[in-house]
Amino acid sequence: MASIAVPLSGVVAIAGGLSILLGYRANLGAWLIVLFLIPVSLMMHKFWTVTDPMMAQIQMILFMKNVSMLGGALLISQFGAGPFSLRCAAVALNALNKGEKKNAHSI
């Protein structure tokens, strides 16, 4: 099972991240990241089962890091990749090349 799940989770994470970075269907990419983060967080960072206090704290920190990334992915799924995505940068550059300075700053 792991021989299929691990490469598949890698493909889902890379596809989602590239989708957000490039601004191409960023909402779908964010949902792919959500799909990746939920099972990974619950299966890899079980801080509630660890008996050693130091290891439990480390696992809780990693779990909360994933929860924060999950929140960011949910925001992107609702609002899009934003003005710093490569898609928006390309649109602005294209507008500047055409001499449409007004449109380039409003993107």
Side-chain angles (χ1 to χ4, degrees):
M1 182 70 176
S3 63
I4 296 171
V6 171
L8 182 64
S9 69
V11 168
V12 167
I14 289 172
L18 284 175
S19 172
I20 293 169
L21 173 69
L22 298 174
Y24 177 75
R25 299 186 61 142
N27 297 356
L28 176 63
W31 283 112
L32 288 175
I33 295 294
V34 169
L35 182 70
F36 168 77
L37 281 173
I38 290 174
V40 166
S41 299
L42 294 173
M43 296 177 83
M44 298 299 293
H45 303 299
K46 298 178 184 179
F47 66 91
W48 53 90
T49 64
V50 180
T51 56
D52 180 31
M54 182 71 77
M55 289 305 295
Q57 185 176 15
I58 290 170
Q59 289 302 317
M60 186 166 89
I61 289 169
L62 293 171
F63 182 83
M64 291 301 171
K65 174 203 48 118
N66 284 4
V67 169
S68 69
M69 289 192 300
L70 181 63
L74 290 172
L75 282 172
I76 292 171
S77 74
Q78 295 302 308
F79 299 113
F84 296 112
S85 68
L86 293 180
R87 179 186 167 276
C88 284
V91 169
L93 185 62
N94 190 23
L96 284 174
N97 287 338
K98 290 183 179 180
E100 301 172 7
K101 292 182 182 180
K102 179 182 176 186
N103 291 337
H105 295 292
S106 64
I107 295 174

